[in-house]
Amino acid sequence: MVRAPCCEAMGLKKGPWTHEEDNILVSYILTNGHGNWRALPKKAGLLRCGKSCRLRWTNYLRPDVKRGDFSKEEEETIIYMHAMLGNRWSAIAAKLPGRTDNEIKNFWHTHLKKRLNPNQFIKKTKPRTANPDEPKEEDKFEDQISPVFIQNESYFSENITESNSVDMKQNSIDSFEEYFHDFDEILWSEEFTVTGEEEDGSIGLNFGKPSLSNEDSISFWLNLLAESGNLE
DNA sequence: AATGGAGGCAACCGCGAGCTG
DNA sequence: GCAGCTCGCGGTTGCCTCCAT
């Protein structure tokens, strides 16, 4: 199959986005929706490829993108989900409202990965398609989880009191199961709902459905653009 | 104050999946 | 069923900032 060229180079801009480009993209999407990403930049008057626009929107400009440091809970979720799913960042991001796969991926590589023993970290990326011959995700869970968490001394330092390595290993698994018992139920329940503005100022989300209504999104950006003087 | 290295993050690239005609 | 296309994902790169010397 012949792949369609993504950015037929000529004249298309690359590199960091400017505020003006951001404003154009946001205004266009809020007015028209993104529709066909490939056609969007031309319609919006941007010298970018559709891919670049989509990435910019999903990772940075979307109103429900949560910026700022990851909370302890979010870190724990990432570690837990990564132990279960491997490098399936989009799947992990789906469990962290307001966080993007790119952000999580970066956070993992720059912060969390360091806490793990690299020699023990052998989990490979899972293929996106389910192979019927392979064991189910749940069946493989134990095999995946132990090397990561057992080696993560800092993570379990509060729970592990035994110095004996064998006991420690078992304790780690027990601690893990105990520690994440409630967590698991929350993560795998479809209703992971937070609404309205949170106490910390972050945007509330209805997990499992669009986090903000279109109307809310428009209001958000109209206000923002109006404040910055970029929208009449 | 200058400089070089390390770390962090935004953005790009290439591939596979899924949709459509 | 096939070919062409778009979209989404994960890996990687490169720039910018910070910090140590």
Side-chain angles (χ1 to χ4, degrees), chain A residues 103-117:
Chain A
E103 196 178 10
I104 291 168
K105 180 171 57 182
N106 284 334
F107 186 68
W108 174 264
H109 286 306
T110 55
H111 294 96
L112 300 179
K113 197 173 166 183
K114 292 174 188 169
R115 300 184 196 173
L116 307 174
N117 183 335

Side-chain angles (χ1 to χ4, degrees), chain A residues 24-157:
Chain A
I24 292 169
L25 181 60
V26 169
S27 298
Y28 181 86
I29 291 177
L30 293 183
T31 308
N32 307 289
H34 64 72
N36 185 333
W37 282 113
R38 198 172 165 80
L40 184 147
K42 195 172 182 179
K43 291 179 183 173
L46 286 165
L47 291 174
R48 296 277 181 172
C49 74
K51 254 187 179 181
S52 183
C53 293
R54 184 181 60 81
L55 207 65
R56 183 64 178 171
W57 172 256
T58 55
N59 286 337
Y60 202 83
L61 298 174
R62 249 174 40 203
D64 56 338
V65 169
K66 194 196 290 181
R67 312 299 304 174
D69 294 343
F70 280 75
S71 67
K72 188 84 170 73
E73 289 72 25
E74 286 174 319
E75 284 186 27
E76 288 162 358
T77 304
I78 294 168
I79 293 168
Y80 175 57
M81 296 297 292
H82 188 273
M84 290 186 70
L85 303 171
N87 296 352
R88 295 173 64 190
W89 305 115
S90 60
I92 296 172
K95 295 295 178 187
L96 285 170
R99 299 297 186 181
T100 67
D101 54 353
N102 203 38
E103 196 178 10
I104 291 168
K105 180 171 57 182
N106 284 334
F107 186 68
W108 174 264
H109 286 306
T110 55
H111 294 96
L112 300 179
K113 197 173 166 183
K114 292 174 188 169
R115 300 184 196 173
L116 307 174
N117 183 335
N119 294 330
Q120 297 292 327
F121 194 73
I122 56 173
K123 180 77 180 72
K124 301 290 187 193
T125 305
K126 269 180 57 61
R128 280 181 228 159
T129 26
N131 183 343
D133 295 334
E134 286 184 358
K136 285 184 174 180
E137 200 71 51
E138 311 87 76
D139 297 334
K140 296 196 294 183
F141 174 63
E142 268 194 23
D143 289 339
Q144 291 179 11
I145 202 80
S146 53
V148 176
F149 281 91
I150 289 164
Q151 294 300 323
N152 186 5
E153 293 183 16
S154 64
Y155 195 73
F156 276 104
S157 58

Side-chain angles (χ1 to χ4, degrees), chain A residues 144-206:
Chain A
Q144 291 179 11
I145 202 80
S146 53
V148 176
F149 281 91
I150 289 164
Q151 294 300 323
N152 186 5
E153 293 183 16
S154 64
Y155 195 73
F156 276 104
S157 58
E158 291 177 1
N159 292 327
I160 298 171
T161 54
E162 301 284 336
S163 57
N164 178 290
S165 63
V166 176
D167 289 346
M168 199 160 88
K169 180 174 179 176
Q170 187 55 50
N171 282 349
S172 297
I173 296 169
D174 292 345
S175 299
F176 168 81
E177 289 172 349
E178 185 180 344
Y179 188 85
F180 283 113
H181 176 75
D182 293 338
F183 219 73
D184 199 45
E185 291 190 355
I186 295 168
L187 284 169
W188 294 110
S189 65
E190 279 307 307
E191 295 300 325
F192 191 69
T193 304
V194 184
T195 56
E197 179 130 348
E198 304 303 314
E199 287 182 12
D200 64 358
S202 60
I203 298 168
L205 300 163
N206 288 322

